[in-house]
Amino acid sequence: MPLIELIGVSKDYDGDPIFSGLGLAIGEREKVGLVGGNGSGKTSLLRIIAGLDEDYRGIARRREGLVAALVPQSFEPPRGPTCVGLMLEAA
């Protein structure tokens, strides 16, 4: 069984299809690149693979015990002292 398998996966927003009938199988040691324009569904697909989005049609399976994670597109650094600021204070 592949690590990740998608069968006939479709996703839309407000009736507008993002992708339709998508099939994908990712095996062990395989490397995959995902390229597309803004709004083409890259993040939506990754959210489905990671199990963070259940609003789709089709089948998305991950091998039992597999942990999939998604790094957010934007990062908001924590408030408070920074590493550089602490080093400058100590100098």
Side-chain angles (χ1 to χ4, degrees), residues 32-68:
V32 178
L34 186 58
V35 179
N38 290 344
S40 62
K42 299 178 302 288
T43 299
S44 296
L45 176 60
L46 292 174
R47 288 181 52 81
I48 291 169
I49 289 172
L52 301 174
D53 186 347
E54 296 181 1
D55 184 26
Y56 64 91
R57 294 177 307 284
I59 299 169
R61 296 190 280 224
R62 291 186 310 276
R63 185 181 288 173
E64 187 175 333
L66 179 72
V67 177

Side-chain angles (χ1 to χ4, degrees), residues 18-38:
I18 304 298
F19 46 80
S20 179
L22 183 66
L24 171 71
I26 302 173
E28 289 186 44
R29 301 197 183 276
E30 287 186 316
K31 294 171 180 55
V32 178
L34 186 58
V35 179
N38 290 344

Side-chain angles (χ1 to χ4, degrees), residues 70-83:
L70 180 64
V71 177
Q73 291 185 44
S74 60
F75 173 71
E76 184 67 37
R79 300 199 188 288
T82 65
C83 293

